[in-house]
Amino acid sequence: MDDLLSLAMVLADSQLTALQVLRAFHRDEIFLYLGAAFTTVGLVIIGFLVIRRQFDALLFWLAIFAILYGNRLWMQSELLGMLIPPSEFFGRLKATIDFLVPIPAILFFHATGFLGKPGKFVTYASCTILLCILIAAAFGAPLYWLYKLNSGVVIFALLVLVVQALRRPVRDKDFIIVRNGLFMFVALALWNNFGSKLGHKLEPYGFGIFLICLGYVAARRAIERDQQFSALEKELEVAKRIQLSILPTQFPASHHFKVAARYVPMTSVAGDFYDFHVTEEDKAGLLIADVSGHGVPAALIASMVKLAATSQREHSAQPAKLLAGMNTTLFGNTQNQFVTAAYVHLDALSGDMHYAAAGHPPMLLLRDGKITAVEENGLVLALFSSAAYTSITQPLMKGDRLLLYTDGIVEAENAHEEAFGHDRLCELLQQTIHLSPDETADLILERVREWSVSQDDDRTVIVCDCADHHRV
């Protein structure tokens, strides 16, 4: 009988405890949800920063602030207090979280610029005092006075924040939205720190409103950025089509020369350029150029290279004069960007080729299975107005294969930062003796693509076979 009575009393106590826990949960439910939501927001921001691989003080301190604030709501919940027996350690732990939360908050507002001119002083002074409070709490100082001092520091920082935000000129609608959300949070935070019994129930709502305002502005700007990016992509696509239109589609049909050209830009538009100067059926000029830099600026200069080359067609049979004329045209018009170029004139009637270059990688000649580098370099184009160029003349034989290329080919690096290099390109060219010019150009680009980890420069190749000639 006594055993049954004891069991009934235990069950009654257990039922009462369960009811208390359930009631406590209902009282804390919204704050537990907000704590989890704030912590999740902070973790998402941290994840974004990790993916982005770029430190952003504003986002970083907001993330830490949100995570600590969310955890503080859980630590302050009545439910957790019922589940964990009261102890000195748990009280100190709660106090540590309370004293720690304002530090990333102050650093966040400093990063936003809301603290204005006194921002550095307020930030350093407040954070120093708060760190001292944390240390004092860890060494057993009375929590009552530490909480008072903590509230004083927070109130001071919040008041400075409000004053500076009011003094800051209104720039746009986004600023007004963020400022209003900030004022809501600050007002409720001040209410809490002045000691109102209702403060701890209202401040989390203020922080939630502030996060919503920040999220709204971030989302709206992300949409605007996506729209701008979409418009930019369309403009780049048009620019790409325009740039491709200035490149010759293919070499004119010829009994003497078989030519293949390939152009692989690093981005939508690029600074590499090539052109064919065909004056007669048995004469042809091949031009390749590389503008320093990448993207739109280099592409614009490449268009100027096209005009400069076209204006020198009368010198198509004289590579040195052609490059000198291009240099004169480009000098002073390239915004401190320079251009490397190489030009070879082929004459099937005389059986000669004339070659000149301006700071460009040497042309490669494949003859009877052996590779020869043909090099006659002058200064890069557009560097000096009076730059002089010279050309060399070599015999052109049936079966010769010429390769012109930009430095994006030989400078492509693998995972060990080893360049593809001149020697490796020569070995590859030797292996193409039985391939057509088109197959050779495709093979070179494919091998370079397989070699490199990523494409860090534009890549262009011109392969020319001498099918026949009639030396006079």
Side-chain angles (χ1 to χ4, degrees):
M1 188 71 176
D2 291 337
D3 292 338
L4 290 176
L5 183 60
S6 299
L7 179 61
M9 292 177 62
V10 170
L11 290 175
D13 290 341
S14 300
Q15 185 178 13
L16 179 62
T17 302
L19 288 175
Q20 289 177 338
V21 170
L22 185 61
R23 289 169 183 169
F25 174 77
H26 286 309
R27 285 193 293 270
D28 291 334
E29 185 176 3
I30 184 62
F31 302 108
L32 294 174
Y33 168 78
L34 289 175
F38 297 157
T39 303
T40 301
V41 169
L43 293 175
V44 169
I45 295 174
I46 291 294
F48 172 76
L49 291 176
V50 171
I51 295 173
R52 190 182 180 190
R53 294 184 179 181
Q54 183 176 355
F55 180 77
D56 186 315
L58 189 67
L59 292 178
F60 177 77
W61 292 121
L62 176 61
I64 301 302
F65 182 27
I67 292 172
L68 290 176
Y69 196 95
N71 278 271
R72 185 174 74 170
L73 289 179
W74 278 71
M75 294 290 289
Q76 291 178 341
S77 66
E78 183 181 347
L79 181 62
L80 189 63
M82 293 179 61
L83 297 177
I84 300 178
S87 66
E88 176 69 15
F89 172 78
F90 185 64
R92 294 279 169 180
L93 180 62
K94 289 175 61 177
T96 300
I97 297 294
D98 290 339
F99 300 151
L100 189 59
V101 169
I103 295 178
I106 293 171
L107 291 170
F108 165 72
F109 289 122
H110 175 59
T112 63
F114 275 119
L115 290 174
K117 290 183 178 180
K120 283 188 177 181
F121 170 76
V122 173
T123 301
Y124 294 149
S126 300
C127 290
T128 300
I129 296 173
L130 290 171
L131 286 173
C132 291
I133 293 174
L134 276 173
I135 295 172
F139 281 92
L143 294 180
Y144 175 80
W145 294 110
L146 293 181
Y147 270 111
K148 290 293 184 181
L149 182 57
N150 178 80
S151 296
V153 173
V154 171
I155 290 171
F156 169 73
L158 291 176
L159 290 176
V160 172
L161 181 62
V162 171
V163 172
Q164 293 300 321
L166 287 172
R167 294 178 59 184
R168 190 172 179 179
V170 177
R171 296 178 179 176
D172 52 31
K173 182 180 178 181
D174 288 346
F175 175 75
I176 296 175
I177 293 173
V178 172
R179 190 176 67 174
N180 289 342
L182 172 64
F183 284 167
M184 179 66 70
F185 171 59
V186 170
L188 296 178
L190 287 172
W191 180 269
N192 179 57
N193 282 276
F194 273 120
S196 171
K197 294 181 180 179
L198 297 177
H200 71 284
K201 296 295 184 181
L202 297 178
E203 182 189 316
Y205 296 108
F207 186 63
I209 292 172
F210 180 55
L211 283 182
I212 290 172
C213 291
L214 289 175
Y216 169 79
V217 171
R220 198 180 70 80
R221 291 193 174 184
I223 293 173
E224 288 183 353
R225 188 165 54 249
D226 288 344
Q227 292 173 343
Q228 293 172 356
F229 181 73
S230 178
L232 181 61
E233 278 190 322
K234 292 179 181 178
E235 292 177 0
L236 286 175
E237 184 61 31
V238 173
K240 181 179 180 180
R241 290 199 297 268
I242 293 174
Q243 186 179 34
L244 291 176
S245 70
I246 72 174
L247 300 175
T249 54
Q250 60 183 7
F251 190 82
S254 170
H255 295 293
H256 305 288
F257 310 111
K258 304 297 181 183
V259 180
R262 297 291 185 271
Y263 165 78
V264 183
M266 174 183 170
T267 55
S268 297
V269 290
D272 280 7
F273 172 77
Y274 69 90
D275 201 5
F276 307 137
H277 288 197
V278 181
T279 55
E280 300 177 31
E281 204 276 341
D282 53 7
K283 295 181 178 63
L286 308 177
L287 173 69
I288 191 168
D290 183 2
V291 180
S292 61
H294 309 289
V296 174
L300 293 174
I301 304 300
S303 300
M304 296 175 62
V305 173
K306 165 72 172 180
L307 296 175
T310 302
S311 69
Q312 301 300 315
R313 280 189 177 274
E314 61 181 305
H315 301 306
S316 293
Q318 301 169 295
K321 286 189 176 181
L322 183 138
L323 291 181
M326 290 178 61
N327 179 71
T328 301
T329 302
L330 292 171
F331 178 74
N333 298 309
T334 60
Q335 301 298 315
N336 297 322
Q337 289 182 275
F338 58 84
V339 182
T340 69
Y343 179 77
V344 60
H345 183 263
L346 309 173
D347 190 334
L349 186 61
S350 66
D352 291 325
M353 63 176 173
H354 310 278
Y355 175 81
H360 203 78
M363 179 176 69
L364 299 182
L365 168 63
L366 173 61
R367 176 181 291 168
D368 298 328
K370 297 181 180 180
I371 301 294
T372 303
V374 182
E375 187 169 11
E376 183 65 20
N377 255 328
L379 293 172
V380 296
L381 302 179
L383 192 60
F384 296 105
S385 60
S386 58
Y389 300 90
T390 58
S391 63
I392 59 172
T393 301
Q394 291 192 6
L396 186 64
M397 300 180 63
K398 182 179 180 179
D400 283 352
R401 169 165 289 175
L402 303 175
L403 174 64
L404 293 165
Y405 54 95
T406 56
D407 58 11
I409 299 295
V410 292
E411 292 179 0
E413 294 184 344
N414 61 12
H416 303 290
E417 298 185 354
E418 180 184 0
F420 190 77
H422 174 82
D423 294 341
R424 194 170 280 102
L425 180 61
C426 290
E427 292 175 3
L428 180 59
L429 184 60
Q430 279 183 309
Q431 301 170 15
T432 67
I433 191 168
H434 299 299
L435 300 179
S436 68
D438 283 295
E439 292 171 333
T440 299
D442 290 337
L443 178 64
I444 291 173
L445 290 176
E446 177 64 20
R447 291 290 177 84
V448 172
R449 186 189 66 80
E450 292 174 352
W451 174 267
S452 58
V453 177
S454 60
Q455 184 173 348
D456 299 323
D457 199 357
D458 310 318
R459 298 169 184 169
T460 302
V461 295
I462 301 177
V463 181
C464 175
D465 282 0
C466 179
D468 191 14
H469 72 80
H470 304 284
R471 179 180 290 275
V472 294

